[in-house]
Amino acid sequence: MTNWSLLAPILLYLIATLGLSRYAASRGASESSFERRYFLGGQFMSGPLLAFALVTTYTSASSFIGGPGAAYNFGLGWVLLAMIQVPVAILTLGVIGPKIWRLAKQHQAVTILDILEQRYHSKTLLVIAGISLVGAFMGMVVVQFTGGARMLSVMTGVEYHWALALFVGTVLIYTLWGGFRAVSYTDALQGLVMVFGTVALFIAVLNYGGGMSAITAKLHEIDPALLSHRGPNDFLSWPFLLSFWVLVGFGTLGLPHTALRAMAVKDGRALKQAMVLGSMVSVVVILLPHLSGVLARAILPEIDSPDNVLPKLMITVFPPLLGGLLLAAPLAAIMSSVDSMLLQTGSTLVSDLAGRFAELNESQQRRLSHLTMLLLVAGSGLMALNPPQMIVWLNLGAFGVLQAVFLWPIILGLFWPKANASGAISAMLVGAGGFLWMLNSGFKPFGIHPIVPALAASGAAFVLFNRLGKACDA
């Protein structure tokens, strides 16, 4: 049965995001070409806008649905793992941000593949990168759609398929309406909502459970290992911790949808502001949802799916109307990730691939972009009809593919003048092929996640095959 006291405030929030997207789109109307207007919006982002847009793009259904679900199962050890993600703003904006921003300004680049093409001058590399990006992003979009629909369904009583349609439809409309600029402004709004919502939820959980001491005492009765940094069955080994430092720490330098944000910043001062503010926001929106997931084990000892922890927790600790309002926090995290992925997938297919192999005028670009977006959303929505039980693993797998393909070509392309297309292409093929093989076969040397040996092999292949190619213009 539909709970309208929960659903009504959610619908109002979705309508507000649509209104903001239209306002943001109108502010970007002065951009000279459809391509720059729709896929990048120009270099317009201030420090606070960039900080919230970057963090909300990176924190997704995995951070608000899958992550707290894993923390519910594995305890404080998973919170420790999750906090590895906090330096993502410093890494992305501080290490590669300045160079990517300058290259984007110099070459009028619209996508991260534009940067790679300017650096390596290889259509083969462009095709490999484009196919990898589209495949990985499709998997990640399915994760986001699944997380959003599950949350709406669990909290409001709306049947899963209808919740999926509502969520998918809203994201599609405002992404089509406004492009990158609209997505960035709505991401900033969603970042504010996320901060407020996660703080309110954590305080409510402590109050409902009788305080931290009472809750931890109950957790100790259930399983003392939940309060240990190593977790149940000592799952948090040093090899596992090392893997996560690479997968959600250092490896984030190879995520195209976070690197893209640096291309749209207006100046170096805004980059520095975003590094500081983005790190502060990351602490709040990563620590508190995961910690709430652990504490939920004492309040909701039995639950049907770990991914339903946060929605059920909100229903339990808040009255319906307030719960509906605060549901916007995790919903915002999901929406802000999926719109960025959809937009970059569309730009890859239209601008990076189709536009380089066929001459398209602005009208054709617009029609093809909108058609591509419709097809991407429809395909991802259909795949989300039968989702996996724990979406965190699917999301981490897609993360790994993106890192295996893009990490070394981006980093070495920016900082090694002798890097060339032969090295970059070999790194992409070895990294992606090795990662997928190890992931599917279950091969984990010394208990280390496949991303670590995959990136090591990818880096070695880059250096080795780089000797066979000609140097590119840096």
Side-chain angles (χ1 to χ4, degrees):
M1 182 177 177
T2 302
N3 188 334
W4 285 100
S5 61
L6 286 171
L7 184 58
I10 295 170
L11 292 175
L12 290 174
Y13 174 74
L14 296 179
I15 292 171
T17 62
L18 295 179
L20 180 60
S21 71
R22 289 306 297 160
Y23 167 76
S26 67
R27 296 196 63 181
S30 60
E31 279 297 317
S32 57
S33 69
F34 169 79
E35 184 180 46
R36 285 188 63 80
R37 182 170 65 250
Y38 188 73
F39 290 127
L40 188 63
Q43 293 185 312
F44 68 97
M45 299 183 78
S46 64
L49 180 60
L50 175 60
F52 279 107
L54 179 69
V55 173
T56 54
T57 296
Y58 181 72
T59 53
S60 60
S62 181
S63 299
F64 275 79
I65 305 298
Y72 180 90
N73 281 339
F74 300 121
L76 292 178
W78 196 269
V79 179
L80 174 62
L81 282 180
M83 293 303 290
I84 294 171
Q85 303 171 80
V86 168
V88 64
I90 293 177
L91 281 172
T92 303
L93 301 180
V95 177
I96 65 175
K99 281 185 173 288
I100 285 184
W101 172 68
R102 284 194 292 268
L103 287 171
K105 189 173 184 178
Q106 178 183 351
H107 299 291
Q108 293 294 292
V110 175
T111 69
I112 195 67
L113 268 67
D114 282 339
I115 299 292
L116 293 178
E117 185 188 38
Q118 291 293 335
R119 180 62 181 85
Y120 294 109
H121 310 293
S122 170
K123 286 190 175 181
T124 302
L125 182 147
L126 200 67
V127 171
I128 295 172
I131 292 173
S132 303
L133 187 149
V134 171
F137 273 178
M138 284 289 286
M140 294 171 74
V141 169
V142 171
V143 170
Q144 311 310 315
F145 282 169
T146 300
R150 277 181 178 171
M151 181 167 292
L152 284 173
S153 179
V154 169
M155 286 204 65
T156 66
V158 175
E159 199 269 332
Y160 174 80
H161 294 169
W162 286 109
L164 179 64
L166 176 63
F167 182 76
V168 169
T170 303
V171 173
L172 173 63
I173 291 171
Y174 79 72
T175 305
L176 282 177
W177 257 356
F180 184 83
R181 185 179 286 263
V183 163
S184 297
Y185 275 86
T186 54
D187 282 357
L189 168 66
Q190 289 157 354
L192 292 171
V193 172
M194 286 162 57
V195 170
F196 174 76
T198 53
V199 171
L201 176 63
F202 182 69
I203 293 173
V205 168
L206 291 179
N207 182 65
Y208 187 91
M212 184 63 77
S213 298
I215 295 176
T216 53
K218 292 179 183 178
L219 290 173
H220 189 272
E221 293 177 6
I222 296 171
D223 186 353
L226 293 172
L227 302 176
S228 166
H229 70 280
R230 299 186 64 89
N233 301 316
D234 291 332
F235 86 95
L236 186 55
S237 61
W238 282 111
F240 195 58
L241 185 61
L242 169 65
S243 300
F244 265 71
W245 270 110
V246 174
L247 184 61
V248 298
F250 171 72
T252 57
L253 291 172
L255 295 177
H257 55 301
T258 54
L260 179 67
R261 297 295 181 181
M263 295 172 61
V265 68
K266 64 180 182 179
D267 53 37
R269 182 170 177 269
L271 272 175
K272 294 177 182 178
Q273 289 177 338
M275 288 171 59
V276 176
L277 182 58
S279 299
M280 295 169 61
V281 174
S282 294
V283 171
V284 176
V285 300
I286 292 174
L287 173 62
L288 297 187
H290 286 83
L291 198 53
S292 296
V294 177
L295 302 182
R297 187 72 175 267
I299 297 173
L300 304 169
E302 295 184 6
I303 201 167
D304 53 352
S305 170
D307 288 336
N308 292 335
V309 168
L310 225 58
K312 286 189 175 295
L313 197 58
M314 287 183 172
I315 293 174
T316 303
V317 302
F318 289 121
L321 184 60
L322 184 57
L325 287 171
L326 294 178
L327 175 61
L331 198 62
I334 298 168
M335 292 171 67
S336 59
S337 293
V338 73
D339 55 25
S340 300
M341 292 174 193
L342 284 172
L343 201 60
Q344 192 160 1
T345 305
S347 67
T348 297
L349 291 171
V350 176
S351 179
D352 295 322
L353 299 180
R356 280 173 172 78
F357 295 96
E359 290 292 333
L360 300 174
N361 59 40
E362 185 164 315
S363 177
Q364 290 172 327
Q365 280 186 337
R366 182 182 291 105
R367 288 197 299 268
L368 183 58
S369 298
H370 291 168
L371 176 61
T372 301
M373 202 67 64
L374 285 169
L375 292 176
L376 287 172
V377 170
S380 301
L382 288 174
M383 287 188 283
L385 289 174
N386 294 297
Q389 274 300 303
M390 284 194 70
I391 59 177
V392 64
W393 305 120
L394 176 59
N395 199 58
L396 290 176
F399 255 50
V401 170
L402 288 175
Q403 293 173 14
V405 171
F406 287 98
L407 181 65
W408 295 122
I410 289 177
I411 292 179
L412 296 181
L414 293 175
F415 295 100
W416 188 21
K418 294 183 178 180
N420 60 44
S422 297
I425 291 171
S426 64
M428 288 177 168
L429 295 175
V430 170
F435 177 75
L436 291 173
W437 174 76
M438 285 184 281
L439 194 66
N440 291 328
S441 66
F443 179 68
K444 294 182 178 180
F446 308 107
I448 295 176
H449 190 278
I451 192 60
V452 178
L455 289 180
S458 175
F462 196 120
V463 174
L464 177 64
F465 284 89
N466 200 76
R467 297 175 177 271
L468 304 178
K470 296 181 180 180
C472 302
D473 296 330

